[in-house]
Amino acid sequence: MTITSKREEATEQMAGTSGMPTANFVPDALSRSSEETGKVVRSGEPTSTFWHFADFRWHGEFLHTETLPTSQVNDFSQVAVSICELDANSRPFIGNARLEVYNVAPFRDGRIIVRGNVEWQSDLNVRLNYIIVN
């Protein structure tokens, strides 16, 4: 698990994007092109569903990296992430702090990077909850 502040994260701008290049292209055998849009389309029945969570202390904006086995996460994984505050017993609750997940990106090497924010003046115990569908 890696957590970095947005301010510490150096990015190189790729033309037409907001930061570092992360696009990985779909092999032709796994994709089909939409004649209407020209965009790559991949769909089908889910073959697996996993869940995961990560607890940490933080305040301010963050990039959180979690690495799972590649059998659970790849470029085409559908990953939903929620965030909640934890009480002194590590149980989820809703406090006064605003917690946000901004972006989620899965990678073929099993990494999932989450950009988010813990809007509070000091570190809080928080949990990221992941649902991963392949």
Side-chain angles (χ1 to χ4, degrees), residues 50-76:
F50 300 95
W51 67 270
H52 181 76
F53 71 89
D55 296 349
F56 59 96
R57 288 183 58 76
W58 199 260
H59 77 279
E61 291 193 2
F62 64 85
L63 285 175
H64 182 275
T65 302
E66 198 71 26
T67 303
L68 300 174
T70 56
S71 62
Q72 295 178 355
V73 178
N74 61 64
D75 289 355
F76 301 105

Side-chain angles (χ1 to χ4, degrees), residues 71-129:
S71 62
Q72 295 178 355
V73 178
N74 61 64
D75 289 355
F76 301 105
S77 295
Q78 300 300 306
V79 181
V81 178
S82 64
I83 187 170
C84 65
E85 190 173 344
L86 300 174
D87 67 15
N89 297 314
S90 294
R91 292 192 178 112
F93 82 104
I94 297 177
N96 290 322
R98 289 190 342 171
L99 310 175
E100 301 170 287
V101 171
Y102 297 144
N103 310 98
V104 179
F107 296 89
R108 74 178 59 188
D109 62 2
R111 286 179 303 133
I112 301 171
I113 299 178
V114 177
R115 182 184 305 273
N117 185 39
V118 176
E119 192 174 311
W120 202 247
Q121 61 273 16
S122 58
D123 286 354
L124 297 176
N125 294 322
V126 296
R127 174 174 292 163
L128 294 177
N129 292 291

